[in-house]
Amino acid sequence: MIPAQFNAKEIEQKWYDYWMKNDYFTSKPDHRTPYTIVIPPPNVTGVLHMGHMLNNTIQDVLIRRARLKGFNACWVPGTDHASIATEAKVVAKLKSEGINKNDLTREEFLKHAWDWTNKYGGTILEQLKQLGCSCDWSRTKFTMDDDMSASVIHSFVDLYNKGLIYRGYRMVNWDPEAKTTLSDEEVNFEERQGKLYFLKYKIEGSEDFLTVATTRPETIFGDTAICINPNDERFSHLKGKKAIVPICGRVIPIIEDEYVDVEFGTGCLKVTPAHDVNDKTLGDKHNLEIIDIFNDDASLNSYGLHYQGKDRFVVRTEIETELEQIGALLKTESYTNNVGTSERTKAVIEPRLSDQWFLSMEELVKPAIKAVLESDEIKLHPSRFNNTYKHWLENIRDWNISRQLWWGQQIPAYYYGDGKEDFVVAENIEKAVELARTKTSNFKLQASDLKQDADALDTWFSSWLWPMAVFGGILNPESEDFKYYYPTNDLVTGPDILFFWVARMIIAGYEYTGEKPFTNVYLTGLVRDKQRRKMSKSLGNSPEPLELIEKFGADGVRVGLLLSASAGNDIMFDEELCNQGKAFSNKIWNAFKLIKGWEVSDAIPQPESSKVAIEWYENKLQRILAEIEENFDKYRISDALMGIYKLVWDDFCSWFLEMIKPAYQQPIDKTTFDKAIEMLENNLKLLHPFMPFLTEEIWQHITERTSEQALIVAEWPSAKSFDEKLIADFDITMDVISGIRTIRKDKNIPFKDAIDLKVVNNDKSSTYFDSVIMKLGNITSLEYVTEKVDGALSYRVKSNEYFIPITGNIDVAAEITKLTEELNYTRGFLRSVQGKLSNEKFVNGAPEKVLEMERKKEADALAKIATIEQSLASLK
């Protein structure tokens, strides 16, 4: 029995279990051409949000379509260990239990981290199943799996041995909340309103002072010089002298350097080499002392004197008062500053000198620039992101790959002494011992004599290997899987990680294989609310994805998201879009029920109207199929869906089914019925990537199928030539039928009352669809005439004139009155339009599009007036 209503909740789990049971998602190398996608791995403990919904729906559409097209479709799922975010959550959990991370050994902490991961990890992958995602779950990867971690360590050792990874004492971005360094790309800059503090430094041995402007008065404890421009005559008297830092009383030299901008601030610059990258450069040049005044949480250390232990921002407020009290604060001014913040924790970044590990990028980046910007080997969709990619890669700096964290792959550097260079890099402790013995010539060294670097690698240093590592390509480049599935085909991700992840995967791909990791990168937009605001829990404008699925069904949500998701453009999400998707599901279900409800007869011939209807729909489907293929080729997934949506809703449901529908309580001929089922099945194949649950349910209801005949593994419709003229002729036929329906509605002529139709065929229009006009218009007689027909209602389609002789059902006097009123209104409208077009000032100043619109209004009004006048003439 076919249910009266489509109920998504009742069928979604049924069909997902069926697909899983029959291993349709599983892929193994075989004779077919592979089509491969690797999922952008979400945070292992994350939960589904609207961005995931959009991104993974697009991937599922691509993978299901590839499966239907006969490719060996492989979609690899997985999760990312997200070192900063996950470690922060674990630290917070431990804190709530009264446990301080610093009181634990690394092994003890990692046990807590794994417990957390095992408890909360993988939830998001289960949620993706509810969306219908057809990943090969047997291939699920986690960036901390043993083989994945081994790939990361192997890569580090390889790049170190190539001379590309080095250890350097550099100014880095320090996140005082996560207590780790960040790469430049993990720092977001935002404008913040602050103050500019004008501080007075006494000149040693005098009552004079100089004034320095700073946005960070708390850093005076780290000042080791004042710098002036040697060409600035205002301060020539200060050359060779010394100044005294307020509060701490440190005597510091006044140095000269043309780096100082004489136009900015006061012309005197306080130099704090430990806490500003430019000051560090000056300090190196002038051999200045380096004084680090901060603890790792950005509280002041002992150099901060009585402010020791207080947070930097608390000190900023308090020191202002003290400086004012001792007469060292000249004034303050409001100042807008560009402040760097952590992409993960949102904490204000602190520049800090530290020994860190870096990856040299200058040579590595060259093939990645060429692949996207020169050879077009990899295409970004939309291509406007090429400029962003170009800017980032042409201005790339060495990558700081070490993080002061425990959750992640531990850096495989082993120290055998106290010196900065007393280390070896190896994939395990056994190899490290061998290397250390060779390097030191001390063959008595044991594993217990070596100490591994405490830092972990940047999470992106593991995920940049993702397309290779998931197929074992780093550890075993000759493996069957890697040689078969790599390079992958398409990558679907957000533009916010174009540099973090996409560019780095391209760099890694060329470094390790000499090949691109993928061919196409589809960059989705951000999902925003109707007011164009970014969705966030704090704003309360982010709907719960699973609640949407519960309310509208997975297919409804998928359609709702995709109808508004053009590549690279932000989506203005509205729940009404999901409701539209649900309504579309119901429309398709009801069309299926209508067809299956017809009685079928072998004994009756096929009507001419059905024959031409089938011919038209077959051609129309082929044209839409060609458009769909073109849109997929251009990654216009939303446009592809809209084409199918209109084909099914308008062409199939509103026209084709009406054209072939048998008369009330009459059977349909078998030839037409079989063709209707064939057309429905073709529709289902086109719809399946977008609406997998509904389409499989209908497909399995049409007839009994084996597991080999399931829709998920059916064959995508074959492209054939189509007759453009036939399609265009039917477009005119639709206008003719619409004209008849309009007159019936306006004149209250019931459809059961048959009417005559006479046509003046000025356009020499095709008569091929006359049988359809007669059926859908309930026309008794369709006659072609050469003269206008008196005493008839009329309308035009292009230059053709159509006349419906008046019957006793129509009040002629009332009709004349109504038409006269409409004529007077249209003439008034025409006068206003022509008034604009005759106004020279308007014509000269208006954009061409506006003028085109006004001219079209004029032409439409003139045509309408002619039609009304003709109708009036025929009635009088």
Side-chain angles (χ1 to χ4, degrees):
M1 287 293 294
I2 299 170
Q5 302 290 326
F6 173 66
N7 189 325
K9 274 187 274 187
E10 289 179 3
I11 62 106
E12 286 174 356
Q13 194 60 51
K14 174 182 75 174
W15 289 119
Y16 203 88
D17 290 345
Y18 175 80
W19 294 328
M20 290 285 285
K21 177 187 168 189
N22 286 286
D23 279 338
Y24 296 125
F25 305 162
T26 305
S27 174
K28 293 183 175 68
D30 61 23
H31 64 282
R32 292 173 294 169
T33 303
Y35 174 85
T36 317
I37 293 179
V38 291
I39 201 170
N43 288 4
V44 63
T45 57
V47 292
L48 201 62
H49 59 59
M50 295 303 291
H52 293 135
M53 292 267 279
L54 171 65
N55 182 289
N56 287 284
T57 296
I58 291 169
Q59 289 177 82
D60 196 45
V61 167
L62 294 174
I63 211 80
R64 285 181 182 272
R65 175 172 172 265
R67 203 177 281 123
L68 289 169
K69 289 175 82 74
F71 291 97
N72 188 350
C74 179
W75 182 12
V76 180
T79 50
D80 185 86
H81 63 277
S83 52
I84 294 177
T86 305
E87 182 151 328
K89 286 178 181 176
V90 176
V91 168
K93 172 189 172 287
L94 292 172
K95 191 176 180 181
S96 70
E97 296 170 357
I99 303 170
N100 188 322
K101 175 193 169 186
N102 298 326
D103 295 334
L104 300 175
T105 65
R106 187 186 200 108
E107 289 68 30
E108 287 168 340
F109 177 81
L110 288 177
K111 184 181 183 305
H112 285 288
W114 276 109
D115 288 346
W116 172 273
T117 300
N118 293 330
K119 182 176 180 180
Y120 297 104
T123 299
I124 192 166
L125 299 184
E126 290 304 311
Q127 292 173 329
L128 288 177
K129 293 176 182 178
Q130 291 181 251
L131 187 61
C133 293
S134 57
C135 303
D136 182 349
W137 300 108
S138 68
R139 292 182 176 275
T140 302
K141 286 290 183 183
F142 174 43
T143 51
M144 288 279 282
D145 286 345
D146 289 345
D147 61 327
M148 299 295 281
S149 286
S151 296
V152 174
I153 298 305
H154 178 87
S155 171
F156 183 98
V157 174
D158 174 67
L159 293 169
Y160 176 80
N161 289 336
K162 289 173 178 173
L164 294 171
I165 285 179
Y166 62 92
R167 189 156 172 78
Y169 186 63
R170 297 273 190 87
M171 185 71 70
V172 295
N173 305 302
W174 183 260
D175 180 338
E177 190 168 317
K179 297 181 183 174
T180 181
T181 59
L182 301 177
S183 65
D184 293 336
E185 294 73 33
E186 291 170 296
V187 178
N188 296 326
F189 285 90
E190 53 189 66
E191 283 193 350
R192 290 196 180 178
Q193 192 64 39
K195 289 181 181 179
L196 196 58
Y197 301 81
F198 291 80
L199 309 183
K200 295 158 69 175
Y201 287 63
K202 283 191 71 174
I203 308 302
E204 188 185 36
S206 126
E207 291 303 310
D208 293 340
F209 62 87
L210 58 82
T211 305
V212 167
T214 180
T215 58
R216 306 185 64 202
E218 69 279 9
T219 62
I220 61 172
F221 299 110
D223 290 353
T224 55
I226 298 291
C227 190
I228 57 173
N229 191 308
N231 304 314
D232 193 338
E233 294 179 0
R234 292 176 297 172
F235 304 115
S236 56
H237 65 288
L238 296 179
K239 292 180 180 183
K241 295 188 177 180
K242 294 183 178 181
I244 302 170
V245 180
I247 300 178
C248 70
R250 183 183 306 122
V251 177
I252 56 176
I254 297 172
I255 61 174
E256 301 170 60
D257 200 290
E258 290 186 350
Y259 166 76
V260 178
D261 182 355
V262 295
E263 301 294 327
F264 179 77
T266 65
C268 291
L269 179 76
K270 66 190 278 302
V271 185
T272 319
H275 299 294
D276 182 275
V277 67
N278 296 314
D279 289 9
K280 173 65 167 60
T281 304
L282 272 176
D284 290 345
K285 185 176 177 182
H286 296 274
N287 276 326
L288 298 179
E289 185 184 1
I290 295 170
I291 300 173
D292 185 349
I293 67 166
F294 288 122
N295 297 312
D296 60 8
D297 63 353
S299 63
L300 271 69
N301 60 24
S302 60
Y303 282 108
L305 305 177
H306 45 286
Y307 292 108
Q308 182 176 357
K310 292 187 176 181
D311 180 76
R312 56 191 162 157
F313 296 119
V314 171
V315 175
R316 187 174 300 177
T317 302
E318 292 182 0
I319 206 170
E320 179 181 357
T321 304
E322 183 176 358
L323 288 165
E324 196 168 18
Q325 287 172 348
I326 65 173
L329 180 64
L330 182 66
K331 62 175 179 175
T332 62
E333 292 177 358
S334 292
Y335 186 73
T336 303
N337 203 8
N338 229 9
V339 177
T341 60
S342 167
E343 195 233 356
R344 289 286 183 191
T345 66
K346 311 306 177 193
V348 173
I349 293 302
E350 195 59 57
R352 192 180 193 193
L353 283 166
S354 177
D355 279 310
Q356 300 292 334
W357 293 91
F358 294 89
L359 175 60
S360 177
M361 301 301 290
E362 186 179 355
E363 291 301 317
L364 282 176
V365 78
K366 288 177 180 177
I369 292 173
K370 183 180 178 184
V372 175
L373 303 173
E374 296 171 23
S375 67
D376 219 21
E377 204 172 0
I378 297 172
K379 294 181 175 67
L380 305 184
H381 304 273
S383 59
R384 69 170 186 269
F385 285 107
N386 282 10
N387 290 332
T388 308
Y389 183 91
K390 181 175 189 285
H391 173 76
W392 276 336
L393 266 63
E394 289 184 350
N395 293 281
I396 200 166
R397 294 168 64 181
D398 286 357
W399 179 7
N400 172 9
I401 56 173
S402 48
R403 297 290 178 271
Q404 288 61 57
L405 301 165
W406 284 347
W407 179 241
Q409 286 88 15
Q410 190 172 356
I411 288 175
Y414 297 84
Y415 295 85
Y416 53 79
D418 297 327
K420 284 190 176 183
E421 299 302 317
D422 294 346
F423 67 85
V424 291
V425 170
E427 292 187 35
N428 54 52
I429 186 68
E430 291 78 20
K431 289 181 181 177
V433 170
E434 288 178 26
L435 289 172
R437 286 172 176 173
T438 303
K439 191 172 178 181
T440 62
S441 299
N442 177 3
F443 295 95
K444 293 181 180 178
L445 275 177
Q446 301 296 320
S448 57
D449 298 321
L450 271 57
K451 183 181 178 184
Q452 189 172 354
D453 194 303
D455 288 354
L457 284 158
D458 180 9
T459 302
W460 297 110
F461 191 81
S462 63
S463 54
W464 80 321
L465 304 175
W466 184 251
M468 294 179 286
V470 295
F471 297 115
I474 297 295
L475 299 177
N476 183 10
E478 294 302 310
S479 72
E480 182 186 21
D481 271 9
F482 186 60
K483 292 176 82 170
Y484 181 76
Y485 291 112
Y486 188 91
T488 68
N489 295 77
D490 295 326
L491 179 76
V492 182
T493 189
D496 52 326
I497 54 174
L498 178 56
F499 181 81
F500 285 126
W501 191 46
V502 179
R504 286 170 174 164
M505 282 191 290
I506 295 171
I507 292 167
Y510 282 106
E511 171 63 16
Y512 283 105
T513 70
E515 287 188 277
K516 59 188 176 183
F518 30 72
T519 300
N520 295 287
V521 181
Y522 179 104
L523 296 159
T524 65
L526 285 171
V527 184
R528 298 182 179 274
D529 67 12
K530 288 185 287 185
Q531 299 172 46
R532 296 184 172 272
R533 298 178 302 177
K534 189 174 179 179
M535 286 190 168
S536 70
K537 287 183 178 177
S538 59
L539 287 173
N541 64 346
S542 182
E544 285 294 332
L546 297 185
E547 289 178 11
L548 290 176
I549 291 173
E550 177 78 14
K551 188 174 179 182
F552 301 108
D555 292 329
V557 175
R558 289 165 67 115
V559 169
L561 273 169
L562 289 178
L563 280 177
S564 57
S566 54
N569 294 324
D570 289 352
I571 294 172
M572 303 308 120
F573 180 75
D574 183 352
E575 273 197 24
E576 186 51 40
L577 293 167
C578 296
N579 204 29
Q580 186 179 342
K582 183 179 180 181
F584 188 40
S585 298
N586 291 332
K587 183 81 171 176
I588 299 163
W589 182 258
N590 290 334
F592 159 64
K593 265 177 52 201
L594 175 69
I595 297 169
K596 288 295 279 184
W598 291 334
E599 181 188 342
V600 184
S601 171
D602 284 327
I604 57 175
Q606 183 182 41
E608 178 66 18
S609 57
S610 295
K611 176 179 166 293
V612 299
I614 290 164
E615 189 178 356
W616 163 73
Y617 191 75
E618 285 179 325
N619 278 274
K620 188 63 183 280
L621 185 141
Q622 282 299 325
R623 187 172 84 176
I624 298 300
L625 178 60
E627 291 173 5
I628 290 166
E629 298 288 19
E630 183 183 359
N631 282 321
F632 269 109
D633 287 345
K634 294 177 179 177
Y635 292 82
R636 295 175 178 164
I637 313 297
S638 178
D639 292 345
L641 173 57
M642 184 52 78
I644 302 168
Y645 183 96
K646 288 179 178 176
L647 175 76
V648 173
W649 191 293
D650 297 337
D651 298 320
F652 187 75
C653 296
S654 299
W655 286 102
F656 178 70
L657 293 184
E658 289 299 311
M659 290 152 72
I660 66 167
K661 186 169 69 176
Y664 181 62
Q665 292 189 335
Q666 296 300 307
I668 186 171
D669 68 281
K670 190 171 188 310
T671 303
T672 300
F673 179 80
D674 289 348
K675 273 292 183 181
I677 292 294
E678 182 187 327
M679 296 302 102
L680 173 63
E681 288 183 339
N682 280 332
N683 291 344
L684 294 176
K685 290 173 184 177
L686 296 179
L687 281 165
H688 179 74
F690 301 94
M691 308 176 79
F693 294 109
L694 166 78
T695 52
E696 190 73 75
E697 173 77 358
I698 294 175
W699 181 266
Q700 300 283 355
H701 267 300
I702 289 172
T703 188
E704 197 169 318
R705 318 251 189 194
T706 65
S707 58
E708 291 79 18
Q709 296 170 322
L711 177 56
I712 188 173
V713 287
E715 190 176 331
W716 185 259
S718 300
K720 299 171 187 171
S721 60
F722 52 91
D723 188 337
E724 279 283 12
K725 184 177 183 306
L726 185 80
I727 296 168
D729 287 344
F730 190 72
D731 288 345
I732 294 169
T733 301
M734 286 193 281
D735 289 340
V736 173
I737 294 166
S738 296
I740 295 167
R741 288 172 173 171
T742 299
I743 284 178
R744 280 187 176 278
K745 182 185 173 189
D746 289 350
K747 313 311 175 203
N748 294 317
I749 304 171
F751 183 77
K752 64 182 176 60
D753 293 350
I755 56 175
D756 294 337
L757 182 66
K758 298 182 187 297
V759 185
V760 178
N761 193 1
N762 296 318
D763 285 332
K764 303 292 187 288
S765 296
S766 169
T767 60
Y768 191 70
F769 293 105
D770 282 3
S771 58
V772 173
I773 294 171
M774 292 184 74
K775 177 177 180 177
L776 297 187
N778 194 9
I779 306 296
T780 305
S781 164
L782 195 162
E783 183 184 352
Y784 286 85
V785 297
T786 55
E787 300 291 334
K788 294 176 181 178
V789 179
D790 292 332
L793 301 166
S794 65
Y795 65 96
R796 280 174 179 263
V797 175
K798 296 198 170 180
S799 297
N800 283 1
E801 298 172 86
Y802 296 85
F803 299 91
I804 298 172
I806 293 171
T807 64
N809 293 344
I810 297 173
D811 183 336
V812 175
E815 185 62 23
I816 289 171
T817 301
K818 182 181 175 184
L819 286 170
T820 302
E821 288 174 358
E822 192 174 355
L823 179 64
N824 291 335
Y825 171 82
T826 308
R827 281 172 174 164
F829 176 76
L830 177 64
R831 281 194 296 273
S832 72
V833 172
Q834 289 177 330
K836 282 185 187 177
L837 291 173
S838 63
N839 183 327
E840 194 175 330
K841 188 175 179 183
F842 172 77
V843 173
N844 291 336
E848 187 55 38
K849 281 189 176 179
V850 173
L851 290 175
E852 279 178 28
M853 199 182 301
E854 293 301 317
R855 289 182 188 121
K856 187 177 184 306
K857 286 180 187 176
E858 180 185 35
D860 290 346
L862 287 167
K864 188 172 182 181
I865 287 168
T867 302
I868 297 170
E869 286 176 338
Q870 182 183 308
S871 296
L872 281 169
S874 66
L875 288 172
K876 289 177 181 176

